[in-house]
Amino acid sequence: MYCKIKKRAFEIIQQANPNDFASRIFDTFIITLIIVNLIIIIVETFSIPNDLQTVLNYAETISVIIFSAEYILRVWTADSLYPRKSPLKARIKYIFSFMALIDLLAILPFYLPLFIPIDLRVLRTVRVIRLLRIFKINRYTNALNTIGQVFKNKASQLISSIMVVGLLMIISSVLMYNIENSVQPGAFSNAIETMWWTVTTLTTVGYGDVYPITASGKILATIISFLGIGMVAVPTGIITAGFSELLRTDANSEEDEKKYCPYCGHKIDK
């Protein structure tokens, strides 16, 4: 009986099977609760009446209780997620997994003040961690999983392009410092301070709070601006290509599945 209850609990809290009504209801409920929590966080940034604040506090408490119960259930059923490991090792592995850490951080700000005396200013900062609850949706939606898969598939190419951009930033910062420091020691005091200008130039944001005034500095800024248009666009192109490849692969997989009988597994002759 115990094993059946545990197995059923595991089936419900995992990503919904299309034919499992209880699991789909659970997923929909958790996603709705996450969205409600995000709305609460946004509303709390306004000046609101005390009565409304009280209602929001109750909603926060109820949400944390539900999220806590979900977290405990996932830890309890972790050996079903990792059947080849012992129950203890399976639970430890789950507790330190990315999604489990997100789940823990999502409820932690509520419990901390109960055990540790925290200054209100520090508590306000800690409560910002509640925004991590949005990442819990990753467990219930294919969209975020697709984004993660694209980044995983293109990780080496993205790292290479980011390294090139990083090297360009360092070189540009050092060159601009040597050119502008003598005439603008306050704005270009060292290479690290100059890197702020480099970032805004490479990304073509150009806030205009720091800018070169020498002829050499303006020439270098022009070159860096043109390089930035191309270099910063490279990671975007890699990610776009990754999405196209993944969508094409999924389409081909669906097409291949249609060629085989879903009951006997034999290829269907046309």
Side-chain angles (χ1 to χ4, degrees), residues 16-81:
N17 184 311
N19 299 321
D20 193 332
F21 180 74
S23 184
R24 284 192 287 117
I25 290 294
F26 176 83
D27 289 359
T28 304
F29 175 71
I30 293 295
I31 291 174
T32 303
L33 196 61
I34 293 168
I35 294 171
V36 168
N37 273 256
L38 291 176
I39 293 172
I40 290 173
I41 293 171
I42 293 170
V43 171
E44 286 180 342
T45 63
F46 294 87
S47 296
I48 56 177
N50 291 332
D51 292 342
L52 178 57
Q53 184 62 59
T54 302
V55 172
L56 295 181
N57 290 339
Y58 278 122
E60 167 75 6
T61 302
I62 294 170
S63 298
V64 170
I65 292 171
I66 294 171
F67 288 142
S68 300
E70 180 202 7
Y71 179 76
I72 292 169
L73 279 174
R74 291 188 183 281
V75 173
W76 177 49
T77 59
D79 51 337
S80 298
L81 187 63

Side-chain angles (χ1 to χ4, degrees), residues 4-5 16 26 29 38 48 55 84 110 117 119 123-124 127 142 154 169 178 186 190 199 202 224-225 253 257:
K4 288 183 178 180
I5 294 173
F26 176 83
F29 175 71
L38 291 176
I48 56 177
V55 172
R84 295 185 179 181
F110 180 84
D119 182 83
L123 178 60
R124 184 176 296 177
R127 284 172 64 84
N142 291 326
K154 296 295 181 179
M169 285 173 53
N178 284 288
N190 54 61
V199 170
L202 277 174
I224 293 172
S225 297
S253 298
E257 288 178 2

Side-chain angles (χ1 to χ4, degrees), residues 1 64-65 106 128 135 173 176 208:
M1 184 67 178
V64 170
I65 292 171
V128 174
F135 290 105
S173 298
M176 187 58 75

Side-chain angles (χ1 to χ4, degrees), residues 124-150:
R124 184 176 296 177
T125 303
V126 172
R127 284 172 64 84
V128 174
I129 298 175
R130 294 181 300 165
L131 287 169
L132 292 176
R133 290 173 189 172
I134 188 65
F135 290 105
K136 287 166 63 66
I137 294 180
N138 180 61
R139 184 183 280 122
Y140 308 103
T141 60
N142 291 326
L144 292 177
N145 289 328
T146 300
I147 294 173
Q149 187 62 46
V150 169

